[in-house]
Amino acid sequence: MLISQILDDAETIRVVARNGGGKTRVINGARSVYSLAMEAARTGVGLAALIERKGYGEAVDLDAVYKKGRLVSPINHPDPAHLHLTGTGLTHLGSAATRDSMHKKLSDGGEEQLTDSMKMFRMGLEGGKPAKGQTGVQPEWFYKGNGTMAVAPGAALMSPAFAQDAGEEPEIAGIYVIGDDGAPFRVGFTLSNEFSDHVTERVNYLFLAHSKLRNASFGPEILIGDLPADIRGSSRIYRDSNLLWEKPFLSGEANMSHTIANLEHHHFKYSAFRQPGDVHVHMFGTATLSFADGIRTQAGDVFEIEAGDFGLPLRNPLEIEEPVKVAVKAL
């Protein structure tokens, strides 16, 4: 089942769902995906079963809604400060090669040393898929911001004027709500663009935190159920309506050095991330970057990320913010 959120003519959120190649229909009585998920958590009824119980109303042409700019993020929170955008890196087979090329270190004799990226990647290979009941090695982790940094499918990703790069990262994200007792519940999985500044990151690995404080987009649809083990998608960039760059990307545990359960454990082990009612969008990493192929994006470019299991592709144009001078005033 795929679920998403649209705006009707009265600017009211409507939750819609579809199964396989079936029609997209409005879910009766659903005010938002967030309210549905919290109801499922409180009642102990599976989300798909809850949706079927509520039943369906009118059919919706989701592609047409997308083209009209009426799709919103597939989950939000009434208070954006209670939605957390986070992620993990160096989790995919092959991802270290891309990252390592950005973080090369040379010894006095000119020989390549093992970079921090390669050390982290090797740790994942050796301990990222623990035996059942065991805890695996913790991954690289980063914070992107709260719900104010989330961009709807079709809306522009805004790059700060001070950014050195504005690059896509095609990833799968897990969508979670925290129950009233502090227990995390997974709503499902979705496509995401973990938009980052790779030039800033390349200057020094300690700038990774700065490079990740950017917008992110996810959706348009949430896949309810298990994550496919082998996900094969495409990441593209269009410039002036022409294809500038395209490359396949792989995800799913068959292509990862960590299990999803291990990544989830190391995120939610922190009590700060188990606050009742909060929403989490946690991105699982990638091995595919246009930056690694020498692409430098510019305002007006359009990112497109697509994978068959996740419904409609995620598209976002790129815009550059106006420079802002910040001065702190004493009270």
PDB file of all heavy atoms in Angstrom, residues 46 96-97 101 106 116-117 123 135 158 208 210 226 252 269:
ATOM      1  N   GLY A  46      -2.813  -2.407  12.989  1.00  0.00           N
ATOM      2  CA  GLY A  46      -1.859  -2.094  11.939  1.00  0.00           C
ATOM      3  C   GLY A  46      -2.372  -0.965  11.054  1.00  0.00           C
ATOM      4  O   GLY A  46      -3.587  -0.815  10.852  1.00  0.00           O
ATOM      5  N   ALA A  96      31.550   4.131   0.372  1.00  0.00           N
ATOM      6  CA  ALA A  96      32.809   4.651   0.891  1.00  0.00           C
ATOM      7  C   ALA A  96      33.723   5.144  -0.218  1.00  0.00           C
ATOM      8  O   ALA A  96      34.499   6.069  -0.018  1.00  0.00           O
ATOM      9  CB  ALA A  96      33.528   3.574   1.708  1.00  0.00           C
ATOM     10  N   ALA A  97      33.642   4.531  -1.399  1.00  0.00           N
ATOM     11  CA  ALA A  97      34.499   4.962  -2.500  1.00  0.00           C
ATOM     12  C   ALA A  97      34.197   6.411  -2.870  1.00  0.00           C
ATOM     13  O   ALA A  97      35.103   7.211  -3.107  1.00  0.00           O
ATOM     14  CB  ALA A  97      34.314   4.041  -3.705  1.00  0.00           C
ATOM     15  N   SER A 101      36.910   9.523  -1.846  1.00  0.00           N
ATOM     16  CA  SER A 101      37.511  10.393  -2.855  1.00  0.00           C
ATOM     17  C   SER A 101      37.401  11.857  -2.444  1.00  0.00           C
ATOM     18  O   SER A 101      38.146  12.702  -2.940  1.00  0.00           O
ATOM     19  CB  SER A 101      36.829  10.180  -4.213  1.00  0.00           C
ATOM     20  OG  SER A 101      35.499  10.646  -4.192  1.00  0.00           O
ATOM     21  N   LEU A 106      47.101  12.293   2.552  1.00  0.00           N
ATOM     22  CA  LEU A 106      48.390  11.771   2.106  1.00  0.00           C
ATOM     23  C   LEU A 106      49.403  11.853   3.245  1.00  0.00           C
ATOM     24  O   LEU A 106      49.462  12.852   3.958  1.00  0.00           O
ATOM     25  CB  LEU A 106      48.896  12.576   0.903  1.00  0.00           C
ATOM     26  CG  LEU A 106      47.993  12.538  -0.333  1.00  0.00           C
ATOM     27  CD1 LEU A 106      48.591  13.408  -1.432  1.00  0.00           C
ATOM     28  CD2 LEU A 106      47.820  11.113  -0.822  1.00  0.00           C
ATOM     29  N   ASP A 116      39.135   8.504   7.654  1.00  0.00           N
ATOM     30  CA  ASP A 116      38.074   8.256   8.635  1.00  0.00           C
ATOM     31  C   ASP A 116      36.862   7.626   7.967  1.00  0.00           C
ATOM     32  O   ASP A 116      36.183   6.779   8.546  1.00  0.00           O
ATOM     33  CB  ASP A 116      37.676   9.558   9.318  1.00  0.00           C
ATOM     34  CG  ASP A 116      38.751  10.093  10.254  1.00  0.00           C
ATOM     35  OD1 ASP A 116      39.569   9.274  10.720  1.00  0.00           O
ATOM     36  OD2 ASP A 116      38.757  11.306  10.514  1.00  0.00           O
ATOM     37  N   SER A 117      36.568   8.049   6.735  1.00  0.00           N
ATOM     38  CA  SER A 117      35.431   7.482   5.999  1.00  0.00           C
ATOM     39  C   SER A 117      35.615   5.986   5.796  1.00  0.00           C
ATOM     40  O   SER A 117      34.688   5.192   6.013  1.00  0.00           O
ATOM     41  CB  SER A 117      35.287   8.165   4.641  1.00  0.00           C
ATOM     42  OG  SER A 117      34.978   9.524   4.786  1.00  0.00           O
ATOM     43  N   MET A 123      34.048  -0.568   9.554  1.00  0.00           N
ATOM     44  CA  MET A 123      33.339  -0.953  10.773  1.00  0.00           C
ATOM     45  C   MET A 123      31.940  -1.468  10.444  1.00  0.00           C
ATOM     46  O   MET A 123      31.470  -2.450  11.034  1.00  0.00           O
ATOM     47  CB  MET A 123      33.245   0.244  11.720  1.00  0.00           C
ATOM     48  CG  MET A 123      34.561   0.634  12.368  1.00  0.00           C
ATOM     49  SD  MET A 123      34.473   2.239  13.214  1.00  0.00           S
ATOM     50  CE  MET A 123      33.240   1.910  14.467  1.00  0.00           C
ATOM     51  N   THR A 135      23.566  -6.303  19.206  1.00  0.00           N
ATOM     52  CA  THR A 135      23.652  -4.909  18.776  1.00  0.00           C
ATOM     53  C   THR A 135      24.870  -4.727  17.891  1.00  0.00           C
ATOM     54  O   THR A 135      25.986  -5.102  18.279  1.00  0.00           O
ATOM     55  CB  THR A 135      23.746  -3.957  19.990  1.00  0.00           C
ATOM     56  OG1 THR A 135      22.563  -4.096  20.777  1.00  0.00           O
ATOM     57  CG2 THR A 135      23.884  -2.508  19.526  1.00  0.00           C
ATOM     58  N   MET A 158      15.910  24.918  -1.255  1.00  0.00           N
ATOM     59  CA  MET A 158      16.565  26.212  -1.149  1.00  0.00           C
ATOM     60  C   MET A 158      17.977  26.026  -0.612  1.00  0.00           C
ATOM     61  O   MET A 158      18.173  25.538   0.495  1.00  0.00           O
ATOM     62  CB  MET A 158      15.767  27.131  -0.238  1.00  0.00           C
ATOM     63  CG  MET A 158      14.319  27.337  -0.666  1.00  0.00           C
ATOM     64  SD  MET A 158      14.158  28.170  -2.260  1.00  0.00           S
ATOM     65  CE  MET A 158      14.794  29.785  -1.859  1.00  0.00           C
ATOM     66  N   LEU A 208      31.225  18.060   8.213  1.00  0.00           N
ATOM     67  CA  LEU A 208      30.061  17.264   7.805  1.00  0.00           C
ATOM     68  C   LEU A 208      28.774  17.826   8.399  1.00  0.00           C
ATOM     69  O   LEU A 208      27.759  17.930   7.717  1.00  0.00           O
ATOM     70  CB  LEU A 208      30.229  15.803   8.240  1.00  0.00           C
ATOM     71  CG  LEU A 208      29.045  14.880   7.927  1.00  0.00           C
ATOM     72  CD1 LEU A 208      28.937  14.625   6.431  1.00  0.00           C
ATOM     73  CD2 LEU A 208      29.152  13.560   8.680  1.00  0.00           C
ATOM     74  N   HIS A 210      27.998  20.881   9.239  1.00  0.00           N
ATOM     75  CA  HIS A 210      27.595  22.074   8.502  1.00  0.00           C
ATOM     76  C   HIS A 210      26.987  21.707   7.148  1.00  0.00           C
ATOM     77  O   HIS A 210      25.989  22.288   6.723  1.00  0.00           O
ATOM     78  CB  HIS A 210      28.806  22.986   8.265  1.00  0.00           C
ATOM     79  CG  HIS A 210      29.281  23.708   9.476  1.00  0.00           C
ATOM     80  ND1 HIS A 210      28.680  24.857   9.942  1.00  0.00           N
ATOM     81  CD2 HIS A 210      30.303  23.448  10.327  1.00  0.00           C
ATOM     82  CE1 HIS A 210      29.315  25.280  11.019  1.00  0.00           C
ATOM     83  NE2 HIS A 210      30.302  24.446  11.275  1.00  0.00           N
ATOM     84  N   ASP A 226       7.107  -3.952   4.673  1.00  0.00           N
ATOM     85  CA  ASP A 226       8.543  -4.201   4.734  1.00  0.00           C
ATOM     86  C   ASP A 226       9.278  -3.494   3.599  1.00  0.00           C
ATOM     87  O   ASP A 226       8.738  -3.311   2.496  1.00  0.00           O
ATOM     88  CB  ASP A 226       8.817  -5.704   4.655  1.00  0.00           C
ATOM     89  CG  ASP A 226       8.280  -6.467   5.858  1.00  0.00           C
ATOM     90  OD1 ASP A 226       8.204  -5.849   6.946  1.00  0.00           O
ATOM     91  OD2 ASP A 226       7.928  -7.648   5.711  1.00  0.00           O
ATOM     92  N   GLY A 252      18.228  -0.883  -0.075  1.00  0.00           N
ATOM     93  CA  GLY A 252      17.733  -2.132   0.477  1.00  0.00           C
ATOM     94  C   GLY A 252      18.886  -2.899   1.101  1.00  0.00           C
ATOM     95  O   GLY A 252      20.056  -2.722   0.740  1.00  0.00           O
ATOM     96  N   LYS A 269      17.991   4.817  20.280  1.00  0.00           N
ATOM     97  CA  LYS A 269      18.558   4.528  21.596  1.00  0.00           C
ATOM     98  C   LYS A 269      18.651   5.795  22.446  1.00  0.00           C
ATOM     99  O   LYS A 269      18.760   5.719  23.673  1.00  0.00           O
ATOM    100  CB  LYS A 269      19.930   3.869  21.466  1.00  0.00           C
ATOM    101  CG  LYS A 269      21.028   4.767  20.913  1.00  0.00           C
ATOM    102  CD  LYS A 269      22.331   4.000  20.736  1.00  0.00           C
ATOM    103  CE  LYS A 269      23.448   4.896  20.197  1.00  0.00           C
ATOM    104  NZ  LYS A 269      24.692   4.121  19.943  1.00  0.00           N
TER     105      LYS A 269
END
